[in-house]
Amino acid sequence: MKNTIKFMIGLAAVGLVSCEPEFDTPVDEGFYDNGDADFSTYVAVGNSLTAGYADSALYISGQENSYPNIMATQFTFVGGGEFTQPLMSDNLGGLFLNGTEVAGNRLVLSNDENGNPFPTTLEGVGTTEITTSATGPFNNMGVPGAKSFHLVAPGYGDAGGVLSGTANPYYARFATSSSATVISDAVSLNPTFFSLWIGNNDILSYATSGGSGVDQTGNLDPSTYGSNDITDPNVFAAAYSAQVDALTSGGAKGALVNIPNITSIPYFTTVPARSIPLDAATAGALNAQFGQYNTQVLPGLVQFGVITAEEAASRTINFVEGVNFPIIVDTDLTDVSGVLQGPPLNLPPATAMLLGQLRQANSSDLVVLPASSVLGSTPDPSNPQGVVGVSIPLANQFVLTSVEQERVSVAAQSYNATIQALAAANDLAFVDARSALADVAAGGVAIDGGVLTSTYVTGGAFSLDGVHPTARGYAFTTNAIIEAINKKYNATVPTVAPGSFPSVTLENNVN
Amino acid sequence: MKKVLLLTVFALVTAVTYAGGYRISLQGNKAMAMGHTGVAVVNSSELVFFNPAGLVYLENRLNVSVGAHGVFADIAYQNEATGENAMTESLIGTPFYAYVSYQATDWLALALGVYTPYGSGVSYEDDWAGSHLVNNIDLQAIFIQPTVSIKLSEYFSIGGGPIYAIGSVNFNRNLNRTLTDVNGERAEVTLDETGVTKWGWTASAMFNPTDKLRIGATYRSKIILEVEEGEATFDNIPNSDLTPFQDTTFAARLPLPAEMTVGLSYEVTDKLLFAFDFNRAFWNEYESLNIDFANEDIPDSVNARNYENASTYRFGLQYAATETFTLRAGYYFDESPVQAGRFAPETPRNDSDGYSAGLTFNVGSRFEIDASFLYLHFDEVDASYDAYFENGNAVPFEGTYKSSAFIPGLGVTYKL
């Protein structure tokens, strides 16, 4: 009896092992092909997009869905090794330097008591401290906020330079030394494969600030640039070329990702240019107030040769019954505030300043997302007549005009030409993220379980900051990169199902 | 004694039993060794399940059969497009049976059976690729069957009795593929209910046209377990009025389908017996698994199943080798009730082949030890579940499945 039981237990143990089902071709045993590439040590270099930044912050669950982390997971099927990331300390996102907050918490989609959704900053005190939270280098060398030339700038990770603006708070967390560069830290990992996606911020901050910076084309010294400036294409090319040289110095193969059209992101497409509803009486009263400006001031300025007739036409104000374009400040207009204060008009300074670079917006202007909380507001509670967009012009930072869009577009085209040329010259995979994301913006792309579009909040592709993708958007991008890699290196890295990745996070702050 | 015994076997039902359909054909070690044939085999009180009519033909006055099976089953899943793959935890379920029959008079036998003909246990790793369909499920049903067996003649008998079914279910899945709380933890629901009861019945007949040939037929009625106020627990739900999920109760119906068995046994020689059973399980009862949440804000969960009636063909041999040992072997082909496009990972069953063997060791004249083992082979299958929707869009869950099960069993028979 005892022996029989022992026998049965033994049989059972054998059964446990022998009955494990085996596929004819198991996906985790050589099913996929690495082709001509070696994915064993993958290093990703870039900016916020590479870091997994979303919802105006860097936080753990976003980082876990960064495109490099998704790619690294798929690379494990073709010999990919460990992939480390400088994970934040929490899912709030707030970043602190010696106890002082230098970056705020993430946005979440909240709702009011009527169930109307709105994005809001998640409450709570972040726990990520720059000076203690991470020790680099990491396989994910994505640094939110980095421009092309920052990656090769010594001192960009010096915590001492964060408050003065010479260093980056995110890189300061994990730079191997205060003099290290992002690219040198990346190269120190001896990558066998890399991805490089940089350059977006070289135009993005100019665009998101409504063209508040300067187009630095022609200025070859980036140390003189302001944070919202457009980087000179030659500065970009030199920095980018140096990065490719450094990353390929050990024989690594890799993928270069180009820069998407940033003016099609929800940050620029959500708030309509025409947004001021007026009844006939109000429109008439407003037109009466601008009557003298339209019929005497503007023709006068043309007559004196201060502005062209064409500019005068663009500056003419006309409100109608219905939804109107707001009045805006356009810094590319001739500043006539001085002229207006002099003879013969002798306008009071306040009026002259108001009219100095004033025009009504038109359908080619892009109004940025943050303008939604400003348009139609009355900043001075004691003056109900002072309405932004109607009697107070929408500030320059809220509008990306067609002239400004053109500067962004010209620079982006130049950067992308450089990226594509360097990919060809170095025999690297070229990822056309621009056209992939253009498809999302132009009506959407069918994915498993629906259509991915650029519509703010509901489109699925973009997070609540209107600039950075959601995890689903990152997964879609990942597939574009993997497909380019497979094509270039004759590999068969499996793609992912974007629909299985989350979009925006719902959460009400607990008050 | 019986009370103690029952308590013990109840405690044995720890977790899970092998999932397939969710009918578990493990109702006796002697029968299992012969490919789970038995509708026309008269050799023990296992007849309480297989064919109550045959009980009156047992030689002894008191017949007791008690036993259990250890189920070691695995399901492997993979998707070649994405590389996603999963293996269920190797679960050890212990379906059991206990049958007692008593020959009251020459023409009447009374019996009681307790057995577990339905159950399912599958446990994938949390948040695996198919977690929006199932993370884990544990379904159990215990049948208690008082039985009478009436001999109408040497050639013909009838039998049957009521069945009291006691069921329990615990099911966990993620709410969809993407909803998380603010920390990125996947939102999930757990459905739990125990002690669901329902009555059913069984009726059978046995015909012995010659002293070597027996023919049997058994019908067991369907039993629809109805959960009325089960516990529905929602976890990792974001704090938001934009999602309706909060803990509530649920109602659901789970059919335990009717089964018809016909078969025969033939004594080829004094020592060698051949048996054949044909089962027809009326699975078309199982059209959809609908979870009706009491909280009306929470959308009901409708999960199409569309099972179809399925047949099983069983063949068994019994060879009385020596006075001490009786050897058995069997084979069966089990048709899956699951249809194309309805292959859900909670019961990922395709057609299977069962190979069984076993023996009885006679310890003296009254006491026998019965052992069996079953290897269940499934072909690798590419399959999909197409009835999952997100925002009105079908999102099929596709992949390749490969299952197998190894099931040793041990029991005792006592005759007086």
Side-chain angles (χ1 to χ4, degrees), chain A residues 1 15-16 19 21 23-27 31-32 74 77 91 106 111 448-449 494-495 499-502 506-508, chain B residues 72 74 76 78-83 85 90 177-178 182-183 238-239 241-243 369 380 393 395 400-402 404 406:
Chain A
M1 177 77 187
L16 260 181
C19 83
F23 287 109
D24 297 338
T25 53
V27 290
F31 183 83
Y32 303 101
Q74 300 306 88
F77 294 108
N91 276 302
R106 67 194 271 206
N111 66 276
D448 51 313
T495 54
S500 65
F501 289 80
L506 311 175
E507 184 75 3
N508 287 346
Chain B
F72 303 85
D74 287 285
Q78 67 179 24
N79 180 328
E80 293 180 0
T82 61
N85 58 85
S90 192
R177 294 189 300 160
T178 55
V182 75
N183 290 315
N239 168 42
D241 302 325
L242 303 173
T243 60
I369 294 169
E380 189 172 308
N393 299 304
V395 186
T400 308
Y401 292 85
K402 171 82 172 155
S404 69
F406 183 83

Short mmCIF file of all heavy atoms in Angstrom, two decimals, chain A residues 1 15-16 19 21 23-27 31-32 74 77 91 106 111 448-449 494-495 499-502 506-508, chain B residues 72 74 76 78-83 85 90 177-178 182-183 238-239 241-243 369 380 393 395 400-402 404 406:
data_model
loop_
_atom_site.label_atom_id
_atom_site.label_comp_id
_atom_site.label_asym_id
_atom_site.label_seq_id
_atom_site.Cartn_x
_atom_site.Cartn_y
_atom_site.Cartn_z
N MET A 1 0.84 -1.21 0.00
CA MET A 1 0.00 0.00 0.00
C MET A 1 0.87 1.25 0.00
O MET A 1 0.73 2.13 -0.83
CB MET A 1 -0.90 -0.04 1.24
CG MET A 1 -1.76 1.21 1.40
SD MET A 1 -3.17 1.20 0.26
CE MET A 1 -3.83 2.80 0.52
N GLY A 15 4.46 13.23 -14.33
CA GLY A 15 3.38 13.79 -15.14
C GLY A 15 3.45 15.30 -15.21
O GLY A 15 3.25 15.88 -16.26
N LEU A 16 3.78 15.91 -14.09
CA LEU A 16 3.87 17.37 -14.03
C LEU A 16 4.83 17.89 -15.07
O LEU A 16 4.57 18.90 -15.72
CB LEU A 16 4.38 17.78 -12.65
CG LEU A 16 3.32 18.26 -11.66
CD1 LEU A 16 3.97 18.64 -10.36
CD2 LEU A 16 2.54 19.42 -12.24
N CYS A 19 3.76 16.52 -19.02
CA CYS A 19 2.53 16.94 -19.67
C CYS A 19 2.56 18.40 -20.06
O CYS A 19 1.61 18.91 -20.62
CB CYS A 19 1.31 16.64 -18.82
SG CYS A 19 0.96 17.85 -17.57
N PRO A 21 2.58 21.30 -22.16
CA PRO A 21 2.42 21.34 -23.61
C PRO A 21 3.51 22.16 -24.29
O PRO A 21 3.94 23.18 -23.76
CB PRO A 21 1.05 21.98 -23.80
CG PRO A 21 0.73 22.65 -22.52
CD PRO A 21 1.54 22.03 -21.44
N PHE A 23 4.70 23.87 -28.01
CA PHE A 23 4.33 24.21 -29.38
C PHE A 23 5.35 23.66 -30.36
O PHE A 23 6.51 23.45 -30.03
CB PHE A 23 4.25 25.72 -29.54
CG PHE A 23 3.06 26.34 -28.88
CD1 PHE A 23 3.19 27.11 -27.74
CD2 PHE A 23 1.79 26.14 -29.40
CE1 PHE A 23 2.08 27.67 -27.13
CE2 PHE A 23 0.67 26.70 -28.81
CZ PHE A 23 0.82 27.47 -27.67
N ASP A 24 4.90 23.41 -31.59
CA ASP A 24 5.83 22.98 -32.64
C ASP A 24 6.89 24.05 -32.85
O ASP A 24 8.06 23.76 -33.02
CB ASP A 24 5.07 22.73 -33.96
CG ASP A 24 4.07 21.60 -33.81
OD1 ASP A 24 4.25 20.77 -32.89
OD2 ASP A 24 3.11 21.56 -34.60
N THR A 25 6.45 25.30 -32.85
CA THR A 25 7.40 26.41 -33.03
C THR A 25 7.12 27.46 -31.95
O THR A 25 6.40 28.42 -32.18
CB THR A 25 7.23 27.06 -34.42
OG1 THR A 25 5.85 27.43 -34.58
CG2 THR A 25 7.65 26.14 -35.52
N PRO A 26 7.69 27.29 -30.76
CA PRO A 26 7.41 28.23 -29.67
C PRO A 26 7.97 29.62 -29.97
O PRO A 26 9.11 29.74 -30.45
CB PRO A 26 8.13 27.61 -28.46
CG PRO A 26 8.64 26.30 -28.90
CD PRO A 26 8.63 26.25 -30.39
N VAL A 27 7.16 30.64 -29.70
CA VAL A 27 7.59 32.01 -30.03
C VAL A 27 8.79 32.46 -29.21
O VAL A 27 9.51 33.36 -29.61
CB VAL A 27 6.45 33.03 -29.85
CG1 VAL A 27 5.37 32.86 -30.90
CG2 VAL A 27 5.88 32.98 -28.44
N PHE A 31 11.88 31.73 -32.70
CA PHE A 31 10.84 31.84 -33.74
C PHE A 31 11.08 33.06 -34.61
O PHE A 31 10.86 33.04 -35.82
CB PHE A 31 9.47 31.93 -33.06
CG PHE A 31 8.31 31.97 -34.01
CD1 PHE A 31 7.80 30.80 -34.54
CD2 PHE A 31 7.74 33.17 -34.38
CE1 PHE A 31 6.74 30.83 -35.42
CE2 PHE A 31 6.68 33.21 -35.26
CZ PHE A 31 6.17 32.04 -35.78
N TYR A 32 11.54 34.14 -33.98
CA TYR A 32 11.78 35.39 -34.71
C TYR A 32 13.27 35.53 -35.01
O TYR A 32 14.12 34.97 -34.32
CB TYR A 32 11.29 36.58 -33.89
CG TYR A 32 9.83 36.48 -33.52
CD1 TYR A 32 9.45 36.07 -32.25
CD2 TYR A 32 8.84 36.76 -34.46
CE1 TYR A 32 8.11 35.96 -31.91
CE2 TYR A 32 7.50 36.65 -34.12
CZ TYR A 32 7.13 36.25 -32.85
OH TYR A 32 5.82 36.14 -32.53
N GLN A 74 9.98 43.62 -27.11
CA GLN A 74 9.89 42.84 -28.35
C GLN A 74 11.28 42.31 -28.76
O GLN A 74 11.38 41.24 -29.35
CB GLN A 74 9.28 43.68 -29.48
CG GLN A 74 7.86 44.19 -29.17
CD GLN A 74 6.89 43.09 -28.79
OE1 GLN A 74 6.77 42.73 -27.61
NE2 GLN A 74 6.18 42.55 -29.76
N PHE A 77 12.64 38.75 -27.95
CA PHE A 77 12.38 37.59 -28.82
C PHE A 77 13.51 37.36 -29.83
O PHE A 77 13.53 36.36 -30.52
CB PHE A 77 11.07 37.77 -29.59
CG PHE A 77 9.85 37.77 -28.71
CD1 PHE A 77 9.16 38.93 -28.47
CD2 PHE A 77 9.42 36.59 -28.11
CE1 PHE A 77 8.03 38.93 -27.66
CE2 PHE A 77 8.30 36.58 -27.29
CZ PHE A 77 7.61 37.75 -27.06
N ASN A 91 3.98 57.68 -9.46
CA ASN A 91 3.12 57.94 -10.61
C ASN A 91 2.52 59.33 -10.59
O ASN A 91 1.54 59.60 -11.29
CB ASN A 91 2.02 56.87 -10.67
CG ASN A 91 2.49 55.62 -11.37
OD1 ASN A 91 2.91 55.67 -12.53
ND2 ASN A 91 2.47 54.50 -10.67
N ARG A 106 1.59 65.19 -13.09
CA ARG A 106 0.95 64.87 -14.36
C ARG A 106 -0.49 65.40 -14.42
O ARG A 106 -1.10 65.70 -13.39
CB ARG A 106 0.94 63.36 -14.55
CG ARG A 106 0.03 62.69 -13.53
CD ARG A 106 0.25 61.19 -13.46
NE ARG A 106 -0.60 60.47 -14.40
CZ ARG A 106 -0.98 59.20 -14.22
NH1 ARG A 106 -0.58 58.52 -13.16
NH2 ARG A 106 -1.73 58.61 -15.11
N ASN A 111 -13.57 65.04 -13.67
CA ASN A 111 -14.91 65.42 -14.12
C ASN A 111 -15.59 66.27 -13.04
O ASN A 111 -15.32 66.12 -11.85
CB ASN A 111 -15.75 64.20 -14.45
CG ASN A 111 -16.06 63.36 -13.23
OD1 ASN A 111 -15.25 62.53 -12.82
ND2 ASN A 111 -17.21 63.58 -12.61
N ASP A 448 -6.30 47.74 -33.82
CA ASP A 448 -7.16 46.74 -33.21
C ASP A 448 -8.12 47.44 -32.25
O ASP A 448 -7.72 48.11 -31.32
CB ASP A 448 -6.31 45.71 -32.47
CG ASP A 448 -5.30 46.33 -31.52
OD1 ASP A 448 -4.61 47.29 -31.93
OD2 ASP A 448 -5.22 45.90 -30.35
N GLY A 449 -9.40 47.29 -32.49
CA GLY A 449 -10.39 47.85 -31.57
C GLY A 449 -10.77 49.28 -31.84
O GLY A 449 -11.37 49.92 -30.99
N PRO A 494 8.64 41.00 -33.69
CA PRO A 494 7.17 41.12 -33.71
C PRO A 494 6.72 42.51 -33.26
O PRO A 494 7.36 43.14 -32.42
CB PRO A 494 6.72 40.06 -32.70
CG PRO A 494 7.88 39.86 -31.79
CD PRO A 494 9.11 40.10 -32.62
N THR A 495 5.63 42.96 -33.85
CA THR A 495 5.07 44.25 -33.46
C THR A 495 4.10 44.04 -32.28
O THR A 495 3.92 42.93 -31.81
CB THR A 495 4.31 44.89 -34.64
OG1 THR A 495 3.35 43.96 -35.13
CG2 THR A 495 5.27 45.25 -35.76
N GLY A 499 -3.95 48.78 -29.59
CA GLY A 499 -5.20 48.87 -28.85
C GLY A 499 -5.15 48.28 -27.46
O GLY A 499 -6.05 48.50 -26.65
N SER A 500 -4.11 47.51 -27.17
CA SER A 500 -4.01 46.94 -25.83
C SER A 500 -3.23 47.84 -24.88
O SER A 500 -2.98 47.47 -23.74
CB SER A 500 -3.38 45.54 -25.89
OG SER A 500 -2.04 45.63 -26.34
N PHE A 501 -2.87 49.03 -25.36
CA PHE A 501 -2.17 49.99 -24.50
C PHE A 501 -3.14 51.11 -24.12
O PHE A 501 -3.97 51.52 -24.92
CB PHE A 501 -0.96 50.57 -25.22
CG PHE A 501 0.17 49.58 -25.39
CD1 PHE A 501 0.13 48.63 -26.39
CD2 PHE A 501 1.25 49.60 -24.52
CE1 PHE A 501 1.16 47.70 -26.53
CE2 PHE A 501 2.28 48.68 -24.65
CZ PHE A 501 2.24 47.73 -25.67
N PRO A 502 -3.03 51.62 -22.89
CA PRO A 502 -4.01 52.61 -22.41
C PRO A 502 -3.85 53.97 -23.06
O PRO A 502 -2.79 54.30 -23.61
CB PRO A 502 -3.75 52.69 -20.91
CG PRO A 502 -2.37 52.16 -20.71
CD PRO A 502 -2.09 51.21 -21.84
N LEU A 506 -8.23 58.36 -16.19
CA LEU A 506 -9.32 59.02 -15.49
C LEU A 506 -8.99 59.07 -14.01
O LEU A 506 -8.56 58.08 -13.43
CB LEU A 506 -10.62 58.24 -15.68
CG LEU A 506 -10.99 57.83 -17.10
CD1 LEU A 506 -12.24 56.96 -17.10
CD2 LEU A 506 -11.21 59.06 -17.96
N GLU A 507 -9.18 60.21 -13.38
CA GLU A 507 -8.98 60.28 -11.93
C GLU A 507 -9.49 61.63 -11.44
O GLU A 507 -9.18 62.67 -12.01
CB GLU A 507 -7.49 60.14 -11.59
CG GLU A 507 -7.18 60.10 -10.11
CD GLU A 507 -7.53 58.78 -9.42
OE1 GLU A 507 -7.97 57.84 -10.12
OE2 GLU A 507 -7.38 58.70 -8.19
N ASN A 508 -10.28 61.57 -10.39
CA ASN A 508 -10.67 62.82 -9.73
C ASN A 508 -9.80 63.02 -8.51
O ASN A 508 -9.57 62.08 -7.75
CB ASN A 508 -12.14 62.75 -9.28
CG ASN A 508 -13.09 62.85 -10.46
OD1 ASN A 508 -12.68 63.21 -11.56
ND2 ASN A 508 -14.34 62.51 -10.23
N PHE B 72 -3.39 17.22 -13.41
CA PHE B 72 -2.27 18.08 -13.75
C PHE B 72 -2.47 18.53 -15.19
O PHE B 72 -2.28 17.74 -16.11
CB PHE B 72 -0.95 17.34 -13.61
CG PHE B 72 -0.75 16.76 -12.24
CD1 PHE B 72 -1.27 15.52 -11.90
CD2 PHE B 72 -0.03 17.46 -11.29
CE1 PHE B 72 -1.10 14.99 -10.64
CE2 PHE B 72 0.16 16.93 -10.03
CZ PHE B 72 -0.38 15.69 -9.70
N ASP B 74 -2.20 21.70 -18.24
CA ASP B 74 -1.59 22.96 -18.66
C ASP B 74 -2.17 23.40 -19.99
O ASP B 74 -2.48 22.58 -20.84
CB ASP B 74 -0.08 22.80 -18.84
CG ASP B 74 0.62 22.69 -17.51
OD1 ASP B 74 0.76 23.71 -16.83
OD2 ASP B 74 1.02 21.57 -17.17
N ALA B 76 -1.05 26.10 -22.97
CA ALA B 76 -0.07 27.07 -23.47
C ALA B 76 -0.74 27.90 -24.55
O ALA B 76 -1.55 27.39 -25.33
CB ALA B 76 1.15 26.36 -24.02
N GLN B 78 0.06 31.18 -27.44
CA GLN B 78 0.99 32.13 -28.03
C GLN B 78 0.37 32.79 -29.26
O GLN B 78 -0.52 32.25 -29.89
CB GLN B 78 2.32 31.48 -28.40
CG GLN B 78 2.24 30.45 -29.52
CD GLN B 78 3.62 29.87 -29.84
OE1 GLN B 78 4.51 29.87 -29.00
NE2 GLN B 78 3.78 29.40 -31.05
N ASN B 79 0.86 34.01 -29.52
CA ASN B 79 0.39 34.78 -30.67
C ASN B 79 1.63 35.13 -31.49
O ASN B 79 2.49 35.88 -31.04
CB ASN B 79 -0.32 36.05 -30.17
CG ASN B 79 -0.83 36.90 -31.30
OD1 ASN B 79 -0.23 36.96 -32.38
ND2 ASN B 79 -1.92 37.59 -31.08
N GLU B 80 1.68 34.58 -32.69
CA GLU B 80 2.90 34.75 -33.49
C GLU B 80 3.06 36.17 -34.02
O GLU B 80 4.16 36.59 -34.37
CB GLU B 80 2.90 33.74 -34.65
CG GLU B 80 3.03 32.31 -34.16
CD GLU B 80 3.02 31.31 -35.30
OE1 GLU B 80 2.92 31.73 -36.47
OE2 GLU B 80 3.12 30.10 -35.00
N ALA B 81 1.97 36.93 -34.07
CA ALA B 81 2.08 38.31 -34.58
C ALA B 81 2.76 39.21 -33.57
O ALA B 81 3.50 40.13 -33.95
CB ALA B 81 0.69 38.85 -34.92
N THR B 82 2.51 39.00 -32.29
CA THR B 82 3.02 39.90 -31.26
C THR B 82 4.05 39.26 -30.33
O THR B 82 4.72 39.95 -29.57
CB THR B 82 1.87 40.41 -30.38
OG1 THR B 82 1.27 39.28 -29.74
CG2 THR B 82 0.84 41.16 -31.19
N GLY B 83 4.15 37.95 -30.37
CA GLY B 83 5.05 37.26 -29.45
C GLY B 83 4.45 37.02 -28.08
O GLY B 83 5.07 36.39 -27.23
N ASN B 85 2.75 35.37 -25.11
CA ASN B 85 2.60 33.96 -24.80
C ASN B 85 2.28 33.79 -23.33
O ASN B 85 2.54 34.67 -22.52
CB ASN B 85 3.85 33.17 -25.19
CG ASN B 85 5.10 33.67 -24.50
OD1 ASN B 85 5.40 33.28 -23.38
ND2 ASN B 85 5.82 34.58 -25.17
N SER B 90 0.25 25.21 -13.45
CA SER B 90 -0.06 23.80 -13.41
C SER B 90 -0.88 23.53 -12.16
O SER B 90 -0.37 23.46 -11.06
CB SER B 90 1.23 22.99 -13.39
OG SER B 90 0.93 21.65 -13.63
N ARG B 177 -9.12 45.87 -22.07
CA ARG B 177 -7.69 45.72 -22.33
C ARG B 177 -6.87 46.88 -21.77
O ARG B 177 -5.65 46.79 -21.70
CB ARG B 177 -7.44 45.62 -23.84
CG ARG B 177 -8.03 44.34 -24.44
CD ARG B 177 -7.58 44.16 -25.87
NE ARG B 177 -8.00 45.28 -26.69
CZ ARG B 177 -7.46 45.60 -27.86
NH1 ARG B 177 -6.45 44.89 -28.32
NH2 ARG B 177 -7.91 46.62 -28.55
N THR B 178 -7.51 47.99 -21.40
CA THR B 178 -6.70 49.18 -21.13
C THR B 178 -7.05 49.96 -19.87
O THR B 178 -6.24 50.77 -19.43
CB THR B 178 -6.80 50.16 -22.31
OG1 THR B 178 -8.17 50.45 -22.54
CG2 THR B 178 -6.19 49.57 -23.55
N VAL B 182 -4.92 55.13 -11.37
CA VAL B 182 -3.93 56.19 -11.59
C VAL B 182 -2.50 55.66 -11.50
O VAL B 182 -1.56 56.28 -12.00
CB VAL B 182 -4.19 57.35 -10.59
CG1 VAL B 182 -3.72 56.98 -9.20
CG2 VAL B 182 -3.57 58.65 -11.09
N ASN B 183 -2.33 54.49 -10.90
CA ASN B 183 -0.99 53.91 -10.82
C ASN B 183 -0.71 52.91 -11.93
O ASN B 183 0.31 52.21 -11.90
CB ASN B 183 -0.80 53.24 -9.46
CG ASN B 183 -0.72 54.27 -8.35
OD1 ASN B 183 -0.03 55.28 -8.48
ND2 ASN B 183 -1.44 54.02 -7.27
N PRO B 238 -10.38 53.47 -11.39
CA PRO B 238 -9.99 54.86 -11.16
C PRO B 238 -11.07 55.60 -10.39
O PRO B 238 -12.26 55.31 -10.53
CB PRO B 238 -9.79 55.42 -12.57
CG PRO B 238 -10.48 54.49 -13.48
CD PRO B 238 -10.50 53.15 -12.82
N ASN B 239 -10.64 56.53 -9.59
CA ASN B 239 -11.59 57.35 -8.84
C ASN B 239 -12.17 58.38 -9.79
O ASN B 239 -11.62 59.46 -9.97
CB ASN B 239 -10.86 58.03 -7.68
CG ASN B 239 -11.70 59.11 -7.05
OD1 ASN B 239 -12.89 58.93 -6.84
ND2 ASN B 239 -11.08 60.25 -6.78
N ASP B 241 -16.06 59.63 -11.91
CA ASP B 241 -17.47 59.41 -12.24
C ASP B 241 -17.63 58.99 -13.69
O ASP B 241 -18.74 58.69 -14.13
CB ASP B 241 -18.27 60.69 -11.98
CG ASP B 241 -18.15 61.13 -10.54
OD1 ASP B 241 -18.06 60.26 -9.67
OD2 ASP B 241 -18.10 62.35 -10.30
N LEU B 242 -16.53 58.99 -14.43
CA LEU B 242 -16.60 58.62 -15.84
C LEU B 242 -16.58 57.10 -16.02
O LEU B 242 -16.72 56.60 -17.13
CB LEU B 242 -15.44 59.26 -16.61
CG LEU B 242 -15.39 60.79 -16.49
CD1 LEU B 242 -14.13 61.34 -17.13
CD2 LEU B 242 -16.62 61.42 -17.13
N THR B 243 -16.34 56.36 -14.93
CA THR B 243 -16.50 54.91 -14.99
C THR B 243 -17.55 54.51 -13.98
O THR B 243 -17.62 55.06 -12.89
CB THR B 243 -15.19 54.16 -14.66
OG1 THR B 243 -14.79 54.53 -13.35
CG2 THR B 243 -14.09 54.49 -15.64
N ILE B 369 -7.79 -2.12 -4.26
CA ILE B 369 -7.21 -0.80 -4.53
C ILE B 369 -7.26 -0.59 -6.04
O ILE B 369 -6.80 -1.43 -6.82
CB ILE B 369 -5.76 -0.70 -4.03
CG1 ILE B 369 -5.74 -0.80 -2.50
CG2 ILE B 369 -5.13 0.63 -4.48
CD1 ILE B 369 -4.36 -0.97 -1.94
N GLU B 380 -2.29 20.90 -31.34
CA GLU B 380 -2.09 22.34 -31.37
C GLU B 380 -3.17 22.95 -32.27
O GLU B 380 -3.48 22.41 -33.33
CB GLU B 380 -0.69 22.60 -31.95
CG GLU B 380 -0.21 24.01 -31.87
CD GLU B 380 1.26 24.09 -32.29
OE1 GLU B 380 2.09 23.33 -31.76
OE2 GLU B 380 1.57 24.91 -33.17
N ASN B 393 -16.52 47.86 -31.51
CA ASN B 393 -15.63 47.24 -32.48
C ASN B 393 -15.23 45.85 -31.99
O ASN B 393 -14.82 45.68 -30.84
CB ASN B 393 -14.35 48.06 -32.64
CG ASN B 393 -14.64 49.45 -33.16
OD1 ASN B 393 -15.26 49.61 -34.20
ND2 ASN B 393 -14.23 50.46 -32.41
N VAL B 395 -12.92 42.93 -31.30
CA VAL B 395 -11.48 42.76 -31.10
C VAL B 395 -11.23 41.28 -30.86
O VAL B 395 -11.26 40.81 -29.72
CB VAL B 395 -10.98 43.58 -29.90
CG1 VAL B 395 -9.46 43.51 -29.81
CG2 VAL B 395 -11.42 45.03 -30.00
N THR B 400 -2.49 30.65 -30.85
CA THR B 400 -2.33 29.21 -30.96
C THR B 400 -2.40 28.64 -29.54
O THR B 400 -1.81 29.19 -28.63
CB THR B 400 -0.98 28.87 -31.60
OG1 THR B 400 -0.87 29.60 -32.82
CG2 THR B 400 -0.85 27.39 -31.87
N TYR B 401 -3.16 27.57 -29.40
CA TYR B 401 -3.28 26.92 -28.09
C TYR B 401 -2.75 25.50 -28.18
O TYR B 401 -2.87 24.83 -29.20
CB TYR B 401 -4.74 26.84 -27.66
CG TYR B 401 -5.40 28.16 -27.34
CD1 TYR B 401 -5.97 28.92 -28.34
CD2 TYR B 401 -5.49 28.62 -26.03
CE1 TYR B 401 -6.61 30.12 -28.06
CE2 TYR B 401 -6.12 29.82 -25.73
CZ TYR B 401 -6.68 30.56 -26.75
OH TYR B 401 -7.30 31.75 -26.46
N LYS B 402 -2.18 25.08 -27.07
CA LYS B 402 -1.78 23.67 -26.96
C LYS B 402 -2.02 23.27 -25.51
O LYS B 402 -1.49 23.89 -24.59
CB LYS B 402 -0.30 23.53 -27.33
CG LYS B 402 0.29 22.17 -27.05
CD LYS B 402 -0.02 21.18 -28.15
CE LYS B 402 0.77 19.88 -27.91
NZ LYS B 402 0.10 18.74 -28.53
N SER B 404 -2.60 19.99 -22.59
CA SER B 404 -2.45 18.58 -22.28
C SER B 404 -2.81 18.38 -20.82
O SER B 404 -2.82 19.30 -20.03
CB SER B 404 -1.03 18.11 -22.54
OG SER B 404 -0.15 18.66 -21.61
N PHE B 406 -2.50 15.31 -17.57
CA PHE B 406 -2.06 14.02 -17.06
C PHE B 406 -2.80 13.81 -15.75
O PHE B 406 -2.73 14.64 -14.85
CB PHE B 406 -0.55 14.04 -16.84
CG PHE B 406 -0.01 12.74 -16.39
CD1 PHE B 406 0.26 11.74 -17.31
CD2 PHE B 406 0.21 12.50 -15.05
CE1 PHE B 406 0.76 10.52 -16.88
CE2 PHE B 406 0.70 11.28 -14.62
CZ PHE B 406 0.97 10.28 -15.54
#
